[in-house]
Amino acid sequence: MKVYNTLSGKKEEFTPPSPVKDEVKIYVCGVTPYDDAHIGHAMSYVIFDVIRRYLKFRDYRVKYVQNVTDIDDKIIDRANQRGIPPAELAQKYTDSFEEDMKALNILKAETDVYPRATEEIGKIIEVIAGLIDKGFAYPAGGSVYFRVRKDPDYGKLSHRSLDAMMSGECAIGGGEKEDPMDFALWKASKPDEPFWESPWGEGRPGWHIECSAMSLKYLGEQIDIHGGGQDLIFPHHENEIAQSESFTGKKPFVKYWLHNGLLQFGEDKMSKSLGNLVTIKQALTKYSPDAIRIFILNSHYRSPLTYSEEALGAAKSGAAKLRQAVSRQDPTGGKGKALDAKPYRQRFIDSMDDDFNTAKALATLFDLAREINEAGDSGLSFSKAQNTLSSLAREVLGLTLPEMQIISSGKVTFRISGKLSAKATVILGAVNTRVKRLVEERLRCRKEKNWQRADEIRKRLAELGVILEDTETRTVVSYKSIPSEADLNSLLKELGIDFKDSPEKGG
Ligand SMILES: [Zn+2]
């Protein structure tokens, strides 16, 4: 297995140095929760989710840590704008982020740790104090700074010299620093800011030290993989290396540095300031989690990814093709000459072994799906191939490929995802007939140009979790949640719609 290491600038054989056999220790920088997460965040966390899943698939035991920067200038500013305490704002968006990750089917394993900066102040202070003792840091004006020129390796990750950095934007001098390159480990608090007690006065930790302290506490002095977006290479990860290696005296702090490319919107970066930000929650109203994952995994993780409705639309039909292939009935019952999926499985593994080339791995699954869809015509049995496709897609790429039932009746199509039990199907029958009556009433209102009532019906159904989508010829119904018969009966009654249950359902 080969991985591209930012530190060496080339692909290297993957030989994790963990002292425990077959264990891989991974640290990935987490979010600063001051707003809803966007598709750029989805990109990074989906990529590292697939890397973890693949390592597990290759029988490594993965120990994963991802921090939450729940105290930061951005959080304080936003909380002040809204007139709420910073901790309340951070909690709200930490919850929101967790919801998004769950919706995108991102693993949360029992061995994972998601430490929060505000709960790790003790460890952070310990590391800062150690750096001062060793002469790598100094207090000044209630803050503490890292002495960059003391570290001869500084710049080894971003491959820059100190002089080149000096001319960059990072070298904004503060009066109390010894050198403009020095960065803050501890920040003295300004009036009305949250603070913690420290040997240097009231203050809060800098962003970089947080990751060094947490990886040290939860993963030890040296780790196998550190991940994040390419925008974190400098200064954040460069600073993490300087802090961790100076504190422990052990090199390297991280054996493999993996960085994902960044999300773009057309020619531009996706960013709040450009006003082209798409949140994960917004994207999920239009596209399934599978479609979003396929969109992300369809290009190499180190390349930039361009967000477009076309690309997401293509991912959506890709998801449908895979779903169709895994849910087809094999008419041979698995007997007779079978479609051989082994070469596909090997191609998939070869692609993933080559620096997690998910684009090629996905292409292999699409090829296999096509073979399955064509195998029916040639009389080959394909249930074993379906198992291969399903396990690679689900286990490694984290797709869910929900089974989807499509029932059409008159001008109404019901789209129901998930496997339904026999009992649920009976209940659903009664629900569908009621929803159908409401949809027909809405179509009648639209014909009569009674837009207000038509819209009222659509809204009331949406409140019950029933989503209507109009195509040129029909209305497609999908259930976010399945409403109760009783709720639908009262809605029908309230709207004065005459409804009689079909006699075969027994009223
Ligand atoms: Zn970090």
Side-chain angles (χ1 to χ4, degrees):
M1 198 173 136
K2 283 195 160 58
V3 299
Y4 181 90
N5 189 351
T6 308
L7 196 57
S8 63
K10 52 180 190 255
K11 278 188 203 171
E12 296 175 20
E13 194 58 43
F14 183 68
T15 48
S18 273
V20 182
K21 198 178 170 292
D22 298 333
E23 185 182 75
V24 179
K25 294 192 255 184
I26 307 181
Y27 187 95
V28 174
C29 296
V31 285
T32 301
Y34 72 101
D35 208 339
D36 281 326
H38 55 76
I39 293 291
H41 297 114
M43 178 184 177
S44 193
Y45 297 114
V46 164
I47 285 164
F48 287 102
D49 180 60
V50 170
I51 290 175
R52 285 156 71 195
R53 285 172 182 270
Y54 188 63
L55 290 168
K56 285 184 184 176
F57 175 81
R58 297 298 307 260
D59 292 327
Y60 287 108
R61 281 179 306 118
V62 176
K63 251 184 121 175
Y64 182 87
V65 177
Q66 182 182 312
N67 65 307
V68 183
T69 304
D70 62 347
I71 184 70
D72 181 88
D73 288 337
K74 291 193 198 93
I75 293 173
I76 296 171
D77 291 348
R78 182 66 56 91
N80 287 343
Q81 282 166 23
R82 296 202 187 162
I84 57 171
E88 189 184 318
L89 184 97
Q91 185 60 51
K92 176 180 154 109
Y93 289 112
T94 302
D95 292 345
S96 160
F97 177 69
E98 282 174 5
E99 260 174 40
D100 293 344
M101 295 299 104
K102 201 171 162 199
L104 290 174
N105 197 30
I106 287 174
L107 275 185
K108 199 164 183 178
E110 280 144 44
T111 49
D112 295 349
V113 192
Y114 299 86
R116 298 178 182 204
T118 58
E119 289 168 9
E120 306 291 346
I121 302 290
K123 185 69 189 178
I124 292 170
I125 289 176
E126 181 196 318
V127 177
I128 297 174
L131 286 168
I132 295 176
D133 281 350
K134 292 182 174 149
F136 286 103
Y138 57 93
S143 297
V144 179
Y145 295 96
F146 188 89
R147 204 170 258 138
V148 166
R149 288 190 191 272
K150 182 95 200 288
D151 174 15
D153 279 355
Y154 196 78
K156 70 176 172 185
L157 182 71
S158 49
H159 309 288
R160 302 185 194 199
S161 69
L162 270 183
D163 293 333
M165 294 175 203
M166 277 296 287
S167 57
E169 55 187 320
C170 51
I172 301 158
E176 58 198 31
K177 290 199 234 174
E178 287 176 2
D179 187 293
M181 283 304 297
D182 295 350
F183 59 88
L185 301 173
W186 185 262
K187 295 177 174 177
S189 58
K190 295 182 205 119
D192 300 326
E193 276 186 0
F195 63 83
W196 287 264
E197 300 290 343
S198 83
W200 318 286
E202 292 169 351
R204 58 191 166 90
W207 171 36
H208 316 299
I209 194 69
E210 199 187 297
C211 290
S212 283
M214 294 189 197
S215 59
L216 192 64
K217 177 167 171 184
Y218 293 102
L219 296 171
E221 294 181 329
Q222 290 177 296
I223 68 174
D224 306 300
I225 294 177
H226 194 314
Q230 283 165 357
D231 52 341
L232 297 184
I233 297 174
F234 186 84
H236 184 54
H237 289 161
E238 196 71 71
N239 291 353
E240 279 189 40
I241 296 178
Q243 295 162 157
S244 296
E245 294 186 353
S246 303
F247 178 75
T248 65
K250 290 203 177 132
K251 293 178 187 190
F253 156 46
V254 173
K255 187 161 184 192
Y256 304 98
W257 282 94
L258 271 52
H259 291 100
N260 64 273
L262 303 178
L263 190 74
Q264 298 185 331
F265 200 94
E267 300 278 288
D268 300 318
K269 199 185 152 191
M270 188 179 269
S271 80
K272 189 125 227 168
S273 52
L274 292 171
N276 57 11
L277 212 96
V278 179
T279 67
I280 296 173
K281 289 187 172 59
Q282 285 165 346
L284 282 168
T285 61
K286 281 172 118 175
Y287 303 101
S288 70
D290 279 357
I292 294 173
R293 288 184 77 106
I294 289 174
F295 160 69
I296 292 166
L297 300 172
N298 234 337
S299 54
H300 195 278
Y301 78 90
R302 281 189 283 115
S303 315
L305 179 65
T306 302
Y307 184 93
S308 72
E309 300 295 332
E310 297 80 60
L312 271 147
K316 186 176 170 180
S317 52
K321 274 180 202 135
L322 294 179
R323 189 167 54 230
Q324 189 196 351
V326 296
S327 51
R328 277 189 82 149
Q329 272 303 338
D330 183 350
T332 68
K335 291 187 190 80
K337 196 170 178 326
L339 170 63
D340 184 11
K342 277 199 208 94
Y344 292 94
R345 185 185 154 89
Q346 195 51 51
R347 255 171 65 195
F348 181 93
I349 292 173
D350 291 344
S351 305
M352 290 300 287
D353 271 354
D354 182 16
D355 192 27
F356 311 107
N357 194 331
T358 54
K360 271 186 159 174
L362 252 179
T364 304
L365 295 191
F366 287 132
D367 287 346
L368 179 55
R370 195 171 45 240
E371 287 268 22
I372 291 170
N373 288 333
E374 284 166 6
D377 308 330
S378 54
L380 286 174
S381 89
F382 53 79
S383 48
K384 277 199 184 122
Q386 279 177 315
N387 290 343
T388 303
L389 175 60
S390 157
S391 72
L392 295 175
R394 291 188 166 116
E395 202 182 319
V396 181
L397 301 184
L399 303 176
T400 51
L401 306 179
E403 289 181 48
M404 177 102 42
Q405 284 196 35
I406 297 186
I407 307 164
S408 286
S409 166
K411 280 193 178 313
V412 188
T413 294
F414 294 94
R415 210 160 52 186
I416 302 138
S417 46
K419 206 169 195 165
L420 295 168
S421 66
K423 194 179 160 207
T425 310
V426 173
I427 297 168
L428 194 64
V431 167
N432 283 352
T433 50
R434 284 162 176 79
V435 171
K436 192 180 169 210
R437 181 70 190 90
L438 285 153
V439 172
E440 284 167 352
E441 175 69 12
R442 175 171 169 269
L443 288 171
R444 196 186 61 77
C445 294
R446 285 166 68 98
K447 218 171 171 181
E448 290 173 2
K449 300 198 169 19
N450 185 352
W451 308 115
Q452 206 183 343
R453 183 168 158 92
D455 211 41
E456 163 92 7
I457 297 172
R458 186 185 57 78
K459 277 191 189 145
R460 297 296 296 273
L461 279 170
E463 283 164 16
L464 295 175
V466 182
I467 309 302
L468 306 185
E469 231 181 290
D470 297 305
T471 72
E472 258 163 53
T473 54
R474 56 202 310 108
T475 301
V476 179
V477 178
S478 33
Y479 293 111
K480 254 169 83 181
S481 58
I482 301 203
S484 75
E485 221 177 301
D487 282 346
L488 290 168
N489 284 342
S490 46
L491 181 57
L492 284 157
K493 206 172 155 195
E494 207 185 309
L495 294 169
I497 300 170
D498 189 32
F499 174 76
K500 277 182 205 74
D501 221 342
S502 49
E504 66 268 26
K505 297 257 154 52

